Amino acid sequence: MTSQTVLPIRLDLIDVPANRLRNLDPAWVDHLAGLIGVSRLKQPILVRPKGERFELVAGEHRHAAVTKLGHETIMSVVEQLTDDEARLAEIDENLVRRELSVLDRAIFLAERKAVWERMYPDTQHGGDRKSLKNKDENQVANLATRFSADAAEKVGMSERSIQRACNIAAGLTPEIVAQLRGTYLVDHQRDLEAFVAMSPDSQKIALTKIAAGDAQNIREAFRQPGEVAGPPPVTAAKLLDIWSRASAREKRQFLSLIKVPEDVADAVVNPRRRSKDN
């Protein structure tokens, strides 16, 4: 990276990349426009040069607010950044500025981890142990610390919180993330952790019932009729997952241990064969 330059740049010379991590929030743009209209823009946006134009790195809501006000230019910090450096700056800007939901924070931190590991591949597994003995000769060891430690310092979270957030994101596909949006789960860390521990079938059941209004939360999604309280969702999900991965022999051994009659056990382990026999 080179030194920064701060100057006004014409809005029509700034391009906003399509692969932004967050969508614009119109309500927040209106709020910022009101503030800027009264007290002017106090924090410049961050851009990087792209030929004779510029690419927005951080500050999309400020950029949109100033555009909404009809301004021709916006104060900008101009900095030479690689693609990964630009992505890291975008992520950190969002993590430290506006309050994010638990889900969005997890997604941002997981993306930050992926970028960090591309930038410092030797630190993914603690680095080269032999080279770490001689840090003066190891540029990576001198410049790059463990991801969670660096992120904790940059965004003001504990390492443990960062690790928990990354674990949540690691258990979610883009399709599941899209389905989670609009549910209470986006801002409920404990239930999100329970959700990612579930099997795909259990996740589908929970999302279907919550989206339909048949359950207010994960616990209710698995509550049996007449029950006052359902089973702890994490425990239930883990048991279902273990059962789904067990062999027929292991299932029979388990059912035998809990004194299930042999004919009932056979129906449970081989329901299709039982139905054919009937």
Side-chain angles (χ1 to χ4, degrees):
M1 290 185 287
T2 60
S3 59
Q4 298 177 344
T5 302
V6 182
L7 72 161
I9 296 178
R10 282 170 37 201
L11 287 165
D12 61 1
L13 292 178
I14 300 173
D15 299 315
V16 180
N19 64 336
R20 305 289 292 177
L21 281 174
R22 292 188 72 195
N23 295 325
L24 274 178
D25 181 345
W28 187 246
V29 171
D30 290 343
H31 176 71
L32 286 178
L35 293 177
I36 294 169
V38 173
S39 57
R40 298 185 181 183
L41 181 66
K42 294 183 178 180
Q43 179 66 38
I45 64 172
L46 175 62
V47 299
R48 60 174 177 160
K50 285 282 188 175
E52 297 182 354
R53 299 181 63 80
F54 300 89
E55 182 180 87
L56 180 74
V57 174
E60 185 177 8
H61 282 85
R62 278 167 281 155
H63 176 274
V66 169
T67 301
K68 184 180 182 69
L69 290 170
H71 295 184
E72 293 184 358
T73 64
I74 185 169
M75 289 303 297
S76 309
V77 175
V78 181
E79 188 171 1
Q80 292 282 357
L81 299 168
T82 66
D83 290 346
D84 282 338
E85 288 168 343
R87 194 62 155 180
L88 206 59
E90 176 195 350
I91 292 167
D92 287 352
E93 162 97 356
N94 281 277
L95 285 172
V96 301
R97 282 191 173 277
R98 225 186 131 202
E99 188 65 29
L100 296 172
S101 69
V102 171
L103 177 62
D104 281 332
R105 188 172 295 278
I107 292 170
F108 268 66
L109 284 167
E111 176 71 7
R112 192 186 197 282
K113 186 173 187 290
V115 173
W116 178 263
E117 291 179 349
R118 286 200 302 268
M119 295 174 67
Y120 304 108
D122 290 348
T123 66
Q124 289 189 46
H125 304 291
D128 183 336
R129 293 180 181 273
K130 292 181 179 179
S131 64
L132 287 176
K133 293 180 180 179
N134 191 351
K135 291 189 177 182
D136 290 338
E137 296 180 5
N138 188 336
Q139 185 179 10
V140 171
N142 284 330
L143 297 178
T145 58
R146 192 171 66 257
F147 159 74
S148 56
D150 177 79
E153 179 183 353
K154 294 292 194 307
V155 304
M157 296 174 62
S158 70
E159 289 191 52
R160 175 58 182 155
S161 294
I162 289 168
Q163 291 161 1
R164 289 177 67 186
C166 288
N167 287 340
I168 289 174
L172 300 172
T173 64
E175 293 75 21
I176 292 295
V177 168
Q179 293 176 55
L180 285 170
R181 297 203 182 280
T183 73
Y184 85 100
L185 286 163
V186 297
D187 220 11
H188 198 294
Q189 177 152 329
R190 184 175 179 181
D191 278 10
L192 267 178
E193 290 175 323
F195 182 83
V196 299
M198 292 177 175
S199 66
D201 286 343
S202 294
Q203 290 181 350
K204 183 177 181 180
I205 291 170
L207 282 174
T208 299
K209 289 188 175 182
I210 291 170
D214 296 331
Q216 297 297 313
N217 51 49
I218 290 177
R219 189 177 297 273
E220 286 188 9
F222 295 97
R223 182 178 298 171
Q224 297 301 315
E227 282 188 330
V228 176
V234 174
T235 302
K238 286 183 178 179
L239 288 173
L240 285 171
D241 185 54
I242 292 171
W243 179 265
S244 67
R245 291 186 286 108
S247 66
R249 180 182 177 184
E250 291 169 331
K251 289 177 180 178
R252 288 184 184 280
Q253 289 175 335
F254 172 74
L255 293 172
S256 176
L257 285 173
I258 60 174
K259 310 300 182 184
V260 174
E262 188 174 343
D263 60 333
V264 176
D266 186 58
V268 172
V269 176
N270 297 298
R272 293 182 181 178
R273 189 173 71 183
R274 179 69 177 231
S275 62
K276 288 179 180 179
D277 292 343
N278 293 336

